Amino acid sequence: MTDPNAIQPSELDQLPDRDPEETAEWRASLDAVAQAAGPHRAAYLMRRTLESAEGAGVVLPKLLETDYVNTIPTAAEPAVPGDEAMEARITAWNRWNAAAMVTRGSKYGVGGHIATFASAAWLYETGFNHFFKGKEGDGSGDQLYIQGHASPGIYARAFLDGRLTETHLDNFRQESGGNGLPSYPHPRRLPWLWEFPTVSMGLGPLSAIYQARFNRYLTNRGIKDLSSSHVWAFLGDGEMDEPESTAALALAAREELDNLTFVINCNLQRLDGPVRANFKIVQELEAQFRGAGWNVVKTLWGTAWDELFALDTTGALVRRLRQVPDAQVQTYQTRDAAYIRENFFGSDPALVEMAKLLSDDKILECFRLSRGGHEARKVYAAYRAALSHKGAPTVILAQTVKGHTLGEGFASKNANHQMKKLSVDEFKVMRDLLDLPIKDSDFTDGQVPYGHPGAGSAEVRYLQERRAALGGPAPARRVHPVAPLPAPAEKAFASFDKGSGSQNVATTMAFVRLVKDLVRDKETGKRWVPIVPDEARTFGMESLFPSLGIYSPKGQTYEPVDRDQLMYYKEAKNGQILNEGITEAGSMADFIAASTAYSTHGEAMIPFYIFYSMFGWQRTADQMWQLGDQLGRGFLVGATAGRTTLTGEGLQHADGHSPVIAATNPAALTYDPAFAYEVAAIVKEGLRRMYGEAAPGEDQDVFYYLTVYNEPMPQPAKPSVPGIDEGIVKGLYRFNTAETAGLDVAAANAPRIQLLGSGTAIHWALKAQKLLAEEWGVAADVWSATSWTELRRDALEADAALLRGEERVPFVRQALQGAEGPVLAVSDYMRQVPDQIAQWVEQDWSSLGADGFGLSDTRDAARRHFGVDAESIVVAALAQLARRGEVKATAVKEARAKYGL
């Protein structure tokens, strides 16, 4: 009974009802249907009405879930062009070889995954045969993000195609001896095949979105027309738990990236068991993607289910499918028909009657085998619908069985992700199921054979003809013959050599000023891609807004509030700056797409991504590893770097460790420049190495990480020191001596010490140099250590050369050769950073650094707290000299008292 005092729905609506009588009639009709035909019929009519209204252009809230059925009914599926029987044979060979490769490798303990590709085979094969454009046609082809655990299936197809041999397959996960295949898609390990590393789950979908977005960026800026390129991302339903997987869904919809399709293999299993044991992952993903503005295509049930849906005159079957949780669906996969009759059909009288019309074989066919993702026709229909949809990206939710065709021991079993092999008997069952011409005698010594119909077989000819029609092999990575970019005019770099005079300048501002000059270069200026996560004004980049424009596919549809100002906020369809908002992960995905455009699209782009240094490597180091794997090139710039240069922000913003993390990445060249002319020299060298004429044997597939500080300091002129340019690039040079600094050290044989500093710490070292001379009679030479990490890597290479019988002296030892006294190194980072080179320094070694958590205070107070300020350097220097007997021990105590330490 209705409560007369309850608030009625109409009272909650602020919109006035212009015709209450008409509204009442609609409600009464809905109530009548619900009473006569049931609430599910009423819900059905409402959904259809809403869909019809949407099609007529009536703006309504989106429906977030639809029934647990296929989006495209069988009657609406287009015919698959080509020879379906032939494609089935090709798929069978690929299934076999993928399983054989992993099984054969298991005897060496190298592992591998079988079940994932077994579930996804048709998702890939349909694309390879009909949709995925190669790189030998017009444009750049499509970009394929392959699910990492499905790599054996991709190798199997390349073997059938003649791109790989049995030797390659037998070296799966055994790369050290040559002819090996990496475990997953790793471009750095197999650069002719793989384009995109995807196995660090969550990064593939994120990168795919930004790749599709960057394709539009290149098109809108007139760099290259990529309107025919499509990005396909193959994902696992378990992978969608990763926050990165869904982090940019709204961006993709907002920018209408209909050049992007996600294909989510919904086999309902992740590594340990069901993805959503008590719920339904497909329904959850549908709501999530629809809510974000994506087009959703569900491909759940195979053709065998058509008979069941035709019998469902009451909607009982559809209701039951929505009720059954995913873990129970998995259970049906492994149980007999009697169990399914009782547990599934026995829950509703209408379903009991339906089941009476079905044979046990029909029930088992539906519940064990017939999934939409296992049928070429249904997958083809979904892909065609995705490419036809305009104005939004599409996600295809394809239901499959994990371990499909591998036998009852694999299919839907919770442990199948960890199961690495099949027995000979299981392979024979699989052979019969796939109808492959492999004889029992081919299993020699218990070893499963590879299968191949022959290089001239109908299957191989068909496969190659289909790929030729689509533009060549896929996946494939191509580095197009691109001429080296011309070096920018020397004037842009040389202007920093004279210093800043009386003006104090932070190296952050020096870098931004350098970029302003470089983007004006007629030859290479348009190839710079500035990337910033909503902090452009923090880094002094707002002057670039009106000159370069902020990229937006919509242009600027409003009048900016600061339009009357010189540096107004200007958005443009051909804008050059990627201002990503507060997303370091999204900015890194931008950087990866831009930094690999030289191979993906044959267009060398020069990205620089500037960010709070604390929120770079600490937050997105996994993506930087992905960047190295994908062979990206460009400049990462950690601004406001160092533990003590950013005052007042406290622990979460105080970076004292990013160079430590960066040192773990072999592709990252890490620099902590002290002066503006060093910044210019490093960028100049980076442009030459990554984009210009590389030296013989020089690896161009690197990226540069520069830490720059936000503290305005005097920027000296570049000293006339022999070998200074080499020293800047290699990591160390002597900036001055006590004598060249004009310091008066009274005694001719005064104690001497070598002070090594990097970044902002060089200024404390210079002050300490003066204090040591004027107050303690100690001569100090000051060295700029632009890269502790590059010094270490050079020394490691020298050690390796010695093991090969080659004589080679590390550069750090060469540079310091003959330098008198001990060495004291200091940086605004933890001591582990300078200590990287300690073992190769012949002099007595000591270091100072900012170890521990950061804190909020003034710069001077923070430096005193960490013991890295000039006075602390003086005391540490005196202590080193006292241990050597070169100054009195009492001097250390006197200095501590004098400076209040």
Side-chain angles (χ1 to χ4, degrees):
M1 184 175 180
T2 304
D3 181 356
N5 296 317
I7 298 177
Q8 300 302 310
S10 60
E11 296 179 57
L12 297 175
D13 193 343
Q14 295 187 44
L15 296 176
D17 190 342
R18 295 187 302 175
D19 191 341
E21 185 176 347
E22 181 184 35
T23 303
E25 290 175 357
W26 276 77
R27 286 179 175 161
S29 298
L30 184 63
D31 290 343
V33 171
Q35 292 173 6
H40 297 289
R41 176 61 180 168
Y44 175 86
L45 292 176
M46 286 299 299
R47 281 196 297 273
R48 292 296 177 263
T49 301
L50 288 171
E51 290 170 356
S52 180
E54 184 178 275
V58 179
V59 179
L60 292 168
K62 296 287 185 181
L63 285 169
L64 295 186
E65 282 189 36
T66 59
D67 284 324
Y68 202 66
V69 297
N70 295 347
T71 302
I72 305 170
T74 300
E77 293 168 359
V80 180
D83 188 332
E84 290 189 56
M86 180 67 72
E87 292 175 18
R89 291 204 298 275
I90 292 171
T91 305
W93 285 117
N94 292 339
R95 287 182 182 278
W96 177 273
N97 288 322
M101 174 176 57
V102 176
T103 298
R104 287 166 69 118
S106 67
K107 67 181 180 181
Y108 302 109
V110 295
H113 300 285
I114 302 178
T116 295
F117 178 72
S119 66
W122 276 113
L123 302 180
Y124 291 106
E125 289 301 319
T126 303
F128 285 130
N129 287 325
H130 301 285
F131 292 95
F132 303 157
K133 293 188 286 293
K135 295 181 176 297
E136 295 173 2
D138 296 333
S140 299
D142 288 351
Q143 288 79 58
L144 307 180
Y145 288 77
I146 304 295
Q147 189 179 358
H149 293 146
S151 62
I154 308 304
Y155 291 140
R157 192 173 216 275
F159 169 64
L160 202 66
D161 193 14
R163 294 200 288 164
L164 292 176
T165 66
E166 286 194 15
T167 301
H168 287 115
L169 299 193
D170 268 346
N171 284 309
F172 174 59
R173 294 195 172 195
Q174 299 174 75
E175 299 178 74
S176 60
N179 288 322
L181 299 180
S183 53
Y184 302 123
H186 292 303
R188 187 168 284 274
R189 291 299 183 208
L190 202 62
W192 61 268
L193 180 71
W194 297 120
E195 268 198 292
F196 307 108
T198 53
V199 81
S200 190
M201 290 193 288
L203 299 190
L206 180 68
S207 292
I209 290 174
Y210 281 89
Q211 181 66 58
R213 196 283 195 91
F214 192 72
N215 289 356
R216 289 281 171 84
Y217 170 89
L218 290 177
T219 299
N220 288 333
R221 286 196 56 214
I223 303 291
K224 186 172 186 178
D225 183 2
L226 298 172
S227 55
S228 64
S229 285
H230 199 83
V231 177
W232 300 82
F234 289 84
L235 318 169
D237 48 0
E239 181 178 7
M240 301 311 293
D241 285 348
E242 292 283 3
E244 294 87 353
S245 294
T246 55
L249 298 186
L251 167 74
R254 183 169 65 246
E255 300 207 358
E256 300 178 356
L257 298 181
D258 50 24
N259 60 338
L260 170 68
T261 297
F262 275 16
V263 181
I264 303 182
N265 178 16
C266 297
N267 57 37
L268 315 185
Q269 285 183 254
R270 50 188 176 200
L271 307 189
D272 287 333
V275 178
R276 293 290 182 272
N278 296 299
F279 307 94
K280 302 189 78 62
I281 185 60
V282 168
Q283 299 299 93
E284 178 182 319
L285 291 174
E286 178 184 29
Q288 192 169 16
F289 277 86
R290 283 188 186 278
W294 286 53
N295 175 47
V296 178
V297 176
K298 290 173 16 180
T299 302
L300 307 180
W301 306 111
T303 307
W305 282 82
D306 288 351
E307 180 182 340
L308 276 67
F309 288 125
L311 295 172
D312 185 28
T313 57
T314 65
L317 177 61
V318 173
R319 290 197 300 274
R320 182 64 178 143
L321 289 174
R322 290 195 65 166
Q323 293 167 356
V324 176
D326 284 352
Q328 188 63 43
V329 173
Q330 301 295 80
T331 300
Y332 294 146
Q333 177 72 31
T334 64
R335 299 300 180 89
D336 59 21
Y339 177 88
I340 298 172
R341 285 182 186 277
E342 178 182 354
N343 188 278
F344 181 85
F345 292 98
S347 63
D348 186 297
L351 293 180
V352 171
E353 293 303 312
M354 179 189 295
K356 292 178 181 177
L357 304 175
L358 304 173
S359 67
D360 285 355
D361 287 345
K362 182 65 176 181
I363 288 175
L364 292 178
E365 179 188 13
C366 289
F367 282 85
R368 287 191 177 183
L369 301 175
S370 188
R371 299 290 187 276
H374 295 324
E375 295 189 14
R377 179 178 177 127
K378 297 197 177 296
V379 175
Y380 181 90
Y383 288 4
R384 181 57 59 202
L387 292 181
S388 300
H389 188 83
K390 301 303 177 185
T394 294
V395 59
I396 296 169
L397 303 175
Q399 187 163 258
T400 66
V401 174
K402 193 167 186 177
H404 184 59
T405 73
L406 297 181
E408 295 184 8
F410 262 86
S412 293
K413 295 298 176 67
N414 283 339
N416 61 21
H417 190 80
Q418 281 70 37
M419 296 162 68
K420 312 300 182 186
K421 60 183 178 180
L422 278 71
S423 68
V424 169
D425 288 341
E426 287 172 324
F427 266 109
K428 291 178 179 179
V429 172
M430 181 183 178
R431 171 200 62 190
D432 296 341
L433 176 65
L434 298 176
D435 194 23
L436 291 172
I438 297 173
K439 302 185 292 293
D440 285 354
S441 58
D442 293 333
F443 292 82
T444 57
D445 300 323
Q447 177 85 297
V448 57
Y450 293 120
H452 200 293
S457 65
E459 290 94 331
V460 173
R461 287 199 309 273
Y462 182 90
L463 182 156
Q464 293 177 341
E465 288 169 0
R466 292 305 309 142
R467 289 311 315 156
L470 289 165
R477 180 178 181 272
R478 296 283 188 270
V479 178
H480 304 266
V482 179
L485 295 182
E490 182 64 26
K491 181 181 178 182
F493 306 103
S495 63
F496 292 89
D497 291 352
K498 61 185 178 181
S500 62
S502 60
Q503 182 183 9
N504 289 346
V505 177
T507 52
T508 299
M509 297 309 300
F511 177 82
V512 172
R513 179 185 149 192
L514 175 62
V515 169
K516 287 179 184 177
D517 292 340
L518 293 175
V519 295
R520 296 192 187 104
D521 186 88
K522 292 182 179 180
E523 296 291 333
T524 61
K526 69 177 183 178
R527 297 194 175 274
W528 282 87
V529 183
I531 303 168
V532 61
D534 199 39
E535 290 283 4
R537 298 181 194 278
T538 302
F539 307 132
M541 294 173 58
E542 63 269 29
S543 62
L544 297 177
F545 288 169
S547 58
L548 300 184
I550 299 165
Y551 172 73
S552 170
K554 297 289 186 183
Q556 193 154 36
T557 61
Y558 60 92
E559 184 177 356
V561 67
D562 54 359
R563 181 63 182 86
D564 57 344
Q565 298 179 13
L566 180 63
M567 293 183 287
Y568 70 97
Y569 195 84
K570 177 186 175 183
E571 296 188 80
K573 190 172 183 179
N574 65 345
Q576 194 164 349
I577 301 169
L578 292 172
N579 192 322
E580 290 302 6
I582 306 174
T583 168
E584 287 82 7
S587 299
M588 268 306 302
D590 262 338
F591 187 90
I592 292 170
S595 70
T596 54
Y598 74 92
S599 63
T600 309
H601 298 305
E603 296 287 346
M605 305 301 290
I606 312 171
F608 80 87
Y609 165 34
I610 188 168
F611 49 88
Y612 267 118
S613 65
M614 185 72 164
F615 304 136
W617 288 87
Q618 176 172 295
R619 184 164 289 183
T620 59
D622 195 13
Q623 287 178 286
M624 290 158 178
W625 200 262
Q626 177 190 13
L627 166 66
D629 192 347
Q630 201 166 317
L631 296 92
R633 305 169 183 173
F635 297 95
L636 297 176
V637 183
T640 63
R643 189 81 81 193
T644 68
T645 65
L646 181 61
T647 58
E649 297 285 345
L651 182 152
Q652 198 66 26
H653 287 67
D655 173 25
H657 51 278
S658 64
V660 178
I661 308 174
T664 65
N665 191 312
L669 278 60
T670 302
Y671 288 88
D672 185 27
F675 304 120
Y677 66 80
E678 293 177 355
V679 173
I682 294 165
V683 172
K684 179 182 177 182
E685 169 64 11
L687 289 172
R688 181 206 65 78
R689 177 168 178 176
M690 295 185 290
Y691 300 97
E693 293 284 356
E698 190 173 44
D699 185 5
Q700 285 190 284
D701 298 323
V702 295
F703 59 94
Y704 281 66
Y705 174 52
L706 279 71
T707 50
V708 291
Y709 52 84
N710 69 324
E711 183 176 7
M713 298 295 290
Q715 297 298 329
K718 186 176 181 180
S720 298
V721 177
I724 186 172
D725 290 329
E726 179 187 29
I728 291 172
V729 171
K730 290 193 171 181
L732 184 68
Y733 68 94
R734 181 153 39 195
F735 175 72
N736 70 15
T737 65
E739 291 74 18
T740 59
L743 299 174
D744 182 17
V745 182
N749 59 345
R752 187 171 290 270
I753 189 168
Q754 308 300 316
L755 301 180
L756 277 59
S758 67
T760 190
I762 200 82
H763 300 287
W764 322 329
L766 290 169
K767 182 179 177 182
Q769 179 190 42
K770 186 176 181 180
L771 291 174
L772 283 166
E774 294 178 351
E775 300 182 6
W776 305 98
V778 172
D781 300 342
V782 175
W783 299 70
S784 180
T786 54
S787 180
W788 309 100
T789 302
E790 287 306 295
L791 291 172
R792 175 180 176 81
R793 288 176 177 170
D794 172 80
L796 289 171
E797 290 174 7
D799 286 355
L802 285 174
L803 291 176
R804 296 192 299 267
E806 304 170 18
E807 287 294 329
R808 181 175 161 191
V809 180
F811 179 80
V812 64
R813 188 169 294 169
Q814 294 178 44
L816 290 170
Q817 187 175 12
E820 299 177 32
V823 168
L824 174 59
V826 60
S827 83
D828 203 15
Y829 299 95
M830 55 198 302
R831 288 177 59 180
Q832 186 175 339
V833 175
D835 283 349
Q836 292 180 86
I837 66 170
Q839 71 187 81
W840 293 281
V841 174
E842 294 180 320
Q843 294 86 346
D844 291 343
W845 172 271
S846 184
S847 64
L848 296 174
D851 285 74
F853 289 115
L855 74 164
S856 298
D857 214 314
T858 64
R859 290 190 179 108
D860 289 343
R863 287 161 188 168
R864 178 57 58 90
H865 169 80
F866 288 111
V868 292
D869 60 352
E871 292 78 8
S872 298
I873 295 172
V874 169
V875 172
L878 293 174
Q880 270 189 291
L881 293 169
R883 285 193 293 271
R884 294 162 58 95
E886 297 180 21
V887 300
K888 294 179 181 180
T890 56
V892 180
K893 184 177 181 180
E894 291 171 10
R896 281 202 299 264
K898 180 180 179 69
Y899 302 131
L901 296 179

